[in-house]
Amino acid sequence: MDVLRCLGTPTKFRYNPRMRVDILTLFPVMFQGPLTESILARAQGEGLLTIKFHDLREFGLGNYHQVDDSPYGGGAGMVMRADVLVTAIEKVTELGRKDFPRRKPHRIYFSPRGRKLKQAKAERLAKKPWLLLLCGRYEGIDQRVIDGWIDEEMSIGDYVLTGGELPAMVLVDAVARQIPGVLGKEESASQESFSESLGRKKEYPHYTRPEEFRGTKVPSVLLSGNHAEIEKWRREQLQ
Ligand code: SAM
């Protein structure tokens, strides 16, 4: 399902994907908004990014489309089943091969145990043509899926969320803005916090009109018109 069609947003979709992202989730509707508005909607409309959603429930077992089961060894909560998840990953990979016949997707599972997402990682992932994102729920997923069918376990921070959907939205947003042409001005992404050109540091403060606001003035160097001095000041402000 392509996100805009799936979520009912009308668009002229030109199918010329620069990057394809397949998202496997129990809650595809959660993505409405974050991935269907503003810059990300435009990127998809222009064919720079194609996002497909796959409802894991459709791969569930039996009349109730069961996707989880109780953990071996006991304990609270449920675990997402390996057979359901691997069937879904294989089917989605097969579907995507229509776009990328000889490739396989870079498969990411979101988990608090994973390596933390950083800007440099988002930049590297933006160069990959095809990502497959698996959103966990409940206590997580059967370890055998991670061992055999996942390339990378990724965390978005040291806290526990209800599911992998928010991490998937965060990753797609961070990666998409690194794809050439997605942002209006190319330099907008290159001069941002954590970018290579800013030495991976946090960027300098910004000011706009009015020149004086409730007794606080804009730093005078920014009004000087001296580009070398402005550049020097901005470098000094990096954290
Ligand atoms: N039992 C897991 C633990 O203690 O680490 C937490 C599972 S969490 C309730 C359910 C799902 O949310 C996970 O499988 C994962 O996909 C996602 N998730 C939660 N927190 C996350 C984080 N900080 N980064 C990435 N994914 C996260």
Side-chain angles (χ1 to χ4, degrees):
M1 246 183 307
D2 116 29
V3 57
L4 298 175
R5 225 176 297 138
C6 148
L7 300 174
T9 310
T11 181
K12 286 188 292 171
F13 191 81
R14 184 155 52 83
Y15 195 68
N16 175 29
R18 288 282 292 278
M19 173 183 269
R20 175 184 170 119
V21 182
D22 285 286
I23 301 180
L24 282 68
T25 169
L26 281 169
F27 300 100
V29 173
M30 275 184 74
F31 293 82
Q32 184 153 25
L35 301 190
T36 57
E37 291 292 331
S38 181
I39 292 172
L40 289 188
R42 198 181 61 217
Q44 291 166 82
E46 290 176 358
L48 296 167
L49 177 67
T50 302
I51 306 176
K52 309 261 184 196
F53 291 100
H54 308 277
D55 188 343
L56 285 169
R57 190 65 65 187
E58 287 175 12
F59 299 91
L61 308 171
N63 288 343
Y64 295 103
H65 297 273
Q66 186 188 350
V67 295
D68 58 337
D69 220 319
S70 45
Y72 280 119
M78 301 293 270
V79 175
M80 294 178 84
R81 291 177 59 118
D83 46 3
V84 171
L85 296 179
V86 169
T87 303
I89 291 169
E90 288 178 345
K91 182 73 188 159
V92 167
T93 303
E94 191 188 312
L95 287 172
R97 287 241 162 83
K98 288 185 188 119
D99 287 345
F100 301 105
R102 280 173 298 281
R103 287 183 188 269
K104 74 177 191 63
H106 184 70
R107 300 161 301 184
I108 296 171
Y109 167 60
F110 296 103
S111 155
R113 296 199 333 173
R115 184 174 285 189
K116 242 177 277 171
L117 173 62
K118 297 225 166 130
Q119 184 72 8
K121 165 62 73 178
E123 288 167 16
R124 283 199 294 278
L125 289 177
K127 297 191 176 110
K128 294 200 179 286
W130 185 11
L131 302 179
L132 183 154
L133 311 181
L134 177 59
C135 305
R137 279 270 155 177
Y138 317 121
E139 284 309 311
I141 70 175
D142 190 303
Q143 182 62 34
R144 291 167 290 185
V145 181
I146 299 170
D147 294 341
W149 287 268
I150 290 296
D151 302 304
E152 183 169 6
E153 229 177 319
M154 182 180 289
S155 164
I156 63 160
D158 291 341
Y159 39 79
V160 177
L161 300 164
T162 333
E165 286 75 15
L166 289 170
M169 293 177 211
V170 167
L171 179 69
V172 171
D173 191 298
V175 168
R177 55 190 292 113
Q178 300 300 324
I179 299 172
V182 165
L183 295 184
K185 284 184 184 169
E186 286 300 319
E187 66 271 22
S188 326
S190 68
Q191 287 279 317
E192 282 181 326
S193 295
F194 315 117
S195 63
E196 212 170 0
S197 64
L198 296 189
R200 302 277 179 217
K201 293 185 172 174
K202 296 174 200 160
E203 75 168 6
Y204 44 80
H206 300 285
Y207 295 90
T208 186
R209 291 187 179 84
E211 203 175 304
E212 183 172 338
F213 177 67
R214 299 196 180 180
T216 318
K217 290 186 177 165
V218 171
S220 57
V221 64
L222 298 178
L223 308 172
S224 68
N226 184 332
H227 295 296
E229 282 301 311
I230 292 170
E231 181 65 19
K232 182 167 167 278
W233 180 84
R234 285 181 167 164
R235 290 262 154 211
E236 287 164 2
Q237 302 299 313
L238 298 178
Q239 294 173 23

